[in-house]
Amino acid sequence: MRQDRSLRISRRDFLATSAAALVVSTASPSSAAASLSLKDACRDLFLVGTALDFRSPTEFTAAELDLIKSQFNVITPENSMKPGPVHPQENSWNWTQPEALVAFCQDSKIKTMGHCLVWHSQTNPWFFQGADRDLLLARLKEHIHTLVGHFKGKISGWDVVNEAINDNAGAAGVENLRASQWREIIGPEYLTQAFKFAREADPNVALHYNGYNIEGGAKHQSSLVLLKRLISDGAPITTVGIQGHWSVANMNAQKLEQIEQAVENYKALKLKVAITELDLTMTGPGGGQLGGQRGAPAAPPSPEALAAQADAYARLFALFVKRRDAIDRVTFWGLNDRRSWRRGQNPLVFDAENQPKPALQAIVDSVAKARA
Ligand code: XIL
């Protein structure tokens, strides 16, 4: 009861703040972005998303709320539904932030994706303490049933297992699973079980395997071995999430071919593909590994660097449109360069002041051309 009441209060405060912000933003349109919209450009092709959390009712400025609503039709919680934040102790759940996000999405007619049910990172140690195989499976089941069940009917899809494959190549033709405590204690079938538990909790939701660098090289081969095993073991997987933490420097013809081949290979397994965490760093490496460059704001990018990023995004989106037969969503990992987890590398299409970078126009033009 107490938890319910605090939820209602936070939702009401939250909506009141959002409504006030909207009045302000309608009265004085804040950016040129209003006339160029990613979601409109990609209408009938695939959903276009962002990742964020409402850590407080005043999390976003009026301009940011305007941007969220005008540009995106799906949102992934950047952190608030991960096992660590949402389920800190066995009998304790933090519903306030994820509830605020889902309420905002429902009120704004935006879809919500769930991220993520099982991961080696951002997971509290209590899961594994004193756990043998049966106990850990029971905890996994309870975690997934409670979390997926809580949002049943309000979430379009879940990243069920995140980043299960090692970065270093294994022997050819093996899954090369990361030695997480999930694998060590339960065994490789923890993935199949997680998918089954998620399906039990919501019969209609899309269920993803999500990972970075799975589109190429040995990790791609491992992902195919893993996915085939999951399918043959009856895991109710629907979608592969290619995270898409890439860099402008690497987005050459070879990389684009590699991505297209990966989409083709996943489609051949009768899976959909989503680009789940897209960002293109302007400096330094990309990559989904935690601990990348961030923190200090980058120096203002040069016009040449902005143009190179615009070109890279344009070529990528032309590919996404070409492969719209398989791709059902493209989500950017963050709203603007100030809020990005790679904020030192300016990887998004809105700058730190919410102004569109050249990449926005380039994407809109590229999508219009590719869909013609
Ligand atoms: C990142 C968040 O953006 C950060 O705020 C957090 O500190 C660490 O996690 N792959 C994923 C995401 O699946 O959950 C990660 O998000 C980025 C890499």
Side-chain angles (χ1 to χ4, degrees), residues 78-79 82 115 119 122 162-163 243 245 277 288 333 341:
E78 186 171 0
N79 289 294
K82 290 171 178 173
H115 173 81
W119 197 16
Q122 287 181 268
N162 202 28
E163 305 179 349
Q243 289 186 4
H245 293 296
E277 306 185 13
W333 201 245
W341 78 308

Side-chain angles (χ1 to χ4, degrees), residues 81-83 115-123 127-128 140-141 143-144 147 158-164 180 182-183 186 190-191 193-195 197 208-210:
M81 290 189 197
K82 290 171 178 173
H115 173 81
C116 51
L117 299 173
V118 188
W119 197 16
H120 64 278
S121 181
Q122 287 181 268
T123 300
F127 269 104
F128 310 106
L140 180 65
K141 181 175 180 177
H143 173 73
I144 293 177
L147 183 48
W158 277 99
D159 290 332
V160 178
V161 180
N162 202 28
E163 305 179 349
S180 69
W182 297 111
R183 193 202 77 174
I186 296 176
Y190 84 86
L191 293 103
Q193 292 300 327
F195 277 95
F197 296 150
H208 299 54
Y209 174 78
N210 193 49

